Amino acid sequence: TAIEDKLQAGVPDAIATLAQAEIKIWVLTGDKQETAENIGFACRLLTDDMDINYVNGASPDEVRQQLQTAIGGARGQGGEPSSQQRDEQNLALLVDGKSLLTILDDPALTADLLAFAKLCKAVIACRVSPDQKRQIVSMVRYGVRPQPMTLAIGDGANDVPMITEAHVGVGISGNEGLQAVRSADYAIAQFRFLKRLVLVHGRNNYRRVAAIVLYSLYKNMLLVTSLFFYNFYNGWSGSTIYASWILSGFNVFYTFLPIIFYGFMEQDVKPETALQFPQLYLPGQRRQGFNMWQLALWVANGLAHCVLVFFIPTGIFAANGMEDHGVYGTTVMNAMVIGVNLRLALEQNHISAVSHFVVFISIASFYIWGAILQSLWPTLNFDQFSGVLSASLGTPVLWWTVLVTFVAMTAVDVACLYAPPAVVAEPDVRDPGAGARVRAAGGVAGGTGGRHADGAPARPHRGKAPYY
């Protein structure tokens, strides 16, 4: 209203919670230095025990000297400080817009500002213009290595440049109009809702999307590789192991429902738990859910499953002298459909009646689609599949083959991915140091059977990208 300027309810708690998730928070404001500093203390971004460094020189030489002095004091005689030393130093930076004019025009000073800002727990820029806000976001986005994920949040038209510059823009609808909301990726009513947006919805979205991408690669690799293996038996003639219409239903009918429901229902912890333990957000920052290790793991999993789903039925049919090509292909596809659906069921943490139902429907759709195709002949030209499903279901060997195959596939997953024991810290909610011990142990609240909150195996991480 320009009459009263005060913090919304819940802002200090939201900032403190996001800081526990190791999200670096910068405040960019047009207010004067004293007001910006008071805002920092009011929202608990600044504390009394912090060493606040001011860069507010009246001349370029003074700005350069202040910045060099701050960097020298932080690094001391030992070069780049360790993370423990950074915690002990408890640094903060307050820089004004006039100084930023000098810094952002000089690449060397910009690099020095970034180097010092990375050592600080809090950074406040005051008296900055809308374009300077955008420049600061751009500086962090493209200047920090490894490249961070940036989020900008604001409520006015002067925040639009930085909102559009960041990876993720969040607009707050308030008394300053809807310009920020219209330019943002997400809109919220109050700042405190950012905590839930990031720690609950953002975390769940990361885990779900990572699993969907990796699982889709896995199941299609399994299907295509089985076709490749069959080429060793057909003399590379181009004939396929599956009937064409049965093959076409793999992604359309047999396996699409579970992954869709996984994409909007999966959660490993309750929203209240994710808010209570912000450290659960760390696996996403460390990219433990989607990286080259996870990609290689799912590729290896797909290859192992393909060997089992192809060669077990092949061996059983050869041992029994069975040569019916239609029954053979139907058996392999049947085992694959059951194994692929159960593979996703092992990844689920949120198990409900709905998840059981969609798995059942997906597996049943294989038999329903086969019955439909068989019933359409001779009305339609499906002669390659006429009578195949009836012959397959009436063959006892099919049921034993399918049972042995998907049990072997599931046993490999359980033995290699889920059974290995791991010590996971169980935090005490009454203990304020619980979160730090969880982070140090590399585990998550509640225990995940030797796996992190995003489904990744507990393993050391390297090259963590910060979040701003």
Side-chain angles (χ1 to χ4, degrees), residues 392-412:
S392 301
L393 299 182
T395 305
V397 174
L398 176 139
W399 298 108
W400 284 109
T401 303
V402 169
L403 177 64
V404 171
T405 303
F406 82 75
V407 167
M409 295 169 66
T410 306
V412 168

Side-chain angles (χ1 to χ4, degrees), residues 26 28 53-56 63-64 66-68 70-71 74-75 92-97 99-120 122-125 128 132 135-137 139-140 143-144 468:
W26 291 25
L28 314 179
N53 295 266
Y54 298 91
V55 179
N56 53 5
V63 170
R64 186 177 290 103
Q66 288 178 331
L67 194 54
Q68 293 297 331
I71 294 175
R75 292 180 175 176
L93 171 65
L94 200 153
V95 58
D96 66 1
S99 300
L100 284 171
L101 288 174
T102 301
I103 294 173
L104 296 177
D105 287 339
D106 187 336
L109 288 180
T110 301
D112 289 339
L113 176 65
L114 273 178
F116 180 70
K118 289 195 293 185
L119 304 177
C120 297
V123 177
I124 297 178
V128 292
Q132 283 181 319
Q135 288 178 300
I136 293 173
V137 173
M139 176 186 67
V140 173
V144 175
Y468 288 84

Side-chain angles (χ1 to χ4, degrees), residues 26 28 128-139 141-142 149-174 176-188 191 194 197 468:
W26 291 25
L28 314 179
V128 292
S129 66
D131 189 62
Q132 283 181 319
K133 293 181 180 181
R134 180 195 61 79
Q135 288 178 300
I136 293 173
V137 173
S138 178
M139 176 186 67
R141 178 173 179 175
Y142 300 107
M149 178 70 69
T150 56
L151 180 148
I153 179 171
D155 63 347
N158 60 339
D159 298 317
V160 170
M162 73 169 182
I163 287 175
T164 56
E165 181 67 27
H167 289 96
V168 180
V170 179
I172 301 176
S173 58
E176 294 194 34
L178 297 176
Q179 291 93 333
V181 169
R182 293 192 184 106
S183 304
D185 302 300
Y186 299 94
I188 56 179
F191 183 89
L194 179 66
L197 177 66
Y468 288 84

Side-chain angles (χ1 to χ4, degrees), residues 203-237:
R203 178 178 174 274
N204 285 338
N205 184 68
Y206 170 79
R207 296 183 61 256
R208 292 167 181 171
V209 171
I212 288 173
V213 173
L214 293 171
Y215 176 77
S216 298
L217 172 66
Y218 153 81
K219 69 186 182 74
N220 285 284
M221 179 181 175
L222 180 58
L223 176 66
V224 174
T225 307
S226 66
L227 296 171
F228 174 76
F229 283 162
Y230 184 66
N231 285 326
F232 292 101
Y233 292 85
N234 67 10
W236 304 89
S237 63

Side-chain angles (χ1 to χ4, degrees), residues 428-440:
D428 186 349
V429 296
R430 297 167 297 180
D431 184 356
R437 290 197 301 275
V438 171
R439 183 167 63 253

Side-chain angles (χ1 to χ4, degrees), residues 36 47 150 171 273 383 404 417:
T47 58
T150 56
T273 304
D383 56 319
V404 171
L417 300 178

Side-chain angles (χ1 to χ4, degrees), residues 298 301 342-349 410-422 448-451 455:
W298 279 87
N301 194 198
L342 292 181
R343 177 66 180 89
L344 184 61
L346 289 176
E347 285 293 309
Q348 290 180 338
N349 293 282
T410 306
V412 168
D413 293 335
V414 172
C416 298
L417 300 178
Y418 300 96
T448 54
R451 298 173 73 83

Side-chain angles (χ1 to χ4, degrees), residues 13 32 130 233 239 263-264 289 313 407:
D13 176 67
K32 61 183 181 180
Y233 292 85
S239 63
F264 64 81
V407 167

